[in-house]
Amino acid sequence: TTLKEVIFAQGATIIPAYICASNSQTSYIEKIVIPDSVTSIGNYAFYKCASLREGVNIPRNTKTIGYSAFQGCTSLAEVTMNYNDTVEWSGSIGDYAFTDCISLTDVQLAGSYKELGNYLFSGCTSLKNLTIPEGVTNLGCYLIRGTAISSITVPSTVTESEELYSNGYNGALAGCTTLKEVIFAQGATIIPAY
């Protein structure tokens, strides 16, 4: 019950999978510090760290955020993703990475992430605003299911939307009962299937 803060040393490039995962044990971690040197956050790295409440700052050099990396961080209210405008690369955020982060209210994704995983923000019941920037090309299925989002803008760079066949085909915007408006950005030449 005494571990409240985890600081990853400058120079670290990978946050290992499962390092702070807390499925069957109660996690008391309230703060994590991720240095600018990190390029990858592993699968389940902070899974169910329910006490993690201080904002998470994803460094601009982070290319991948793994499967379920922050899933179930129910106290996490803020995530900052820093855009890297000096390097051309195609980053990705894995399936379920922020699922059930029920305290998240506003997320601005970085355009350096090209692929957004399935169920990425599913179950984030307080999430009202999600900014998906130009540069993102692929949206996972059930991306915003169960959120409080009422309007979303799909960037002109999006050309693919994943689908899941479960009692019919379900795409990126399926299951968001509060969604009233979808805006396709000026310059879009494709409206993706599903």
Side-chain angles (χ1 to χ4, degrees), residues 92-164:
S92 64
I93 303 175
D95 297 349
Y96 303 94
F98 295 96
T99 295
D100 296 329
C101 290
I102 60 173
S103 296
L104 275 179
T105 59
D106 186 7
V107 176
Q108 294 186 357
L109 297 173
S112 42
Y113 295 105
K114 305 299 182 196
E115 297 183 10
L116 306 181
N118 297 323
Y119 299 90
L120 187 58
F121 295 103
S122 183
C124 295
T125 54
S126 298
L127 184 61
K128 292 182 178 180
N129 299 301
L130 174 62
T131 303
I132 304 173
E134 291 292 322
V136 172
T137 59
N138 188 320
L139 304 178
C141 71
Y142 289 118
L143 184 75
I144 58 171
R145 181 176 78 169
T147 66
I149 294 171
S150 62
S151 177
I152 195 162
T153 300
V154 178
S156 66
T157 51
V158 171
T159 57
E160 292 182 57
S161 175
E162 298 297 319
E163 44 74 27
L164 174 71

Side-chain angles (χ1 to χ4, degrees), residues 4-68:
K4 303 281 188 194
E5 181 178 45
V6 177
I7 300 170
F8 294 90
Q10 186 62 39
T13 57
I14 295 172
I15 295 186
Y18 300 96
I19 191 154
C20 294
S22 190
N23 189 34
S24 62
Q25 302 294 315
T26 301
S27 170
Y28 296 96
I29 298 169
E30 295 177 0
K31 180 180 180 180
I32 58 171
V33 178
I34 303 171
D36 289 339
S37 55
V38 168
T39 59
S40 178
I41 298 173
N43 296 340
Y44 295 95
F46 304 102
Y47 180 73
K48 290 193 176 180
C49 286
S51 296
L52 183 60
R53 64 186 84 254
E54 291 205 27
V56 172
N57 187 8
I58 308 291
R60 63 187 229 139
N61 293 318
T62 304
K63 297 178 185 177
T64 58
I65 298 173
Y67 184 95
S68 296

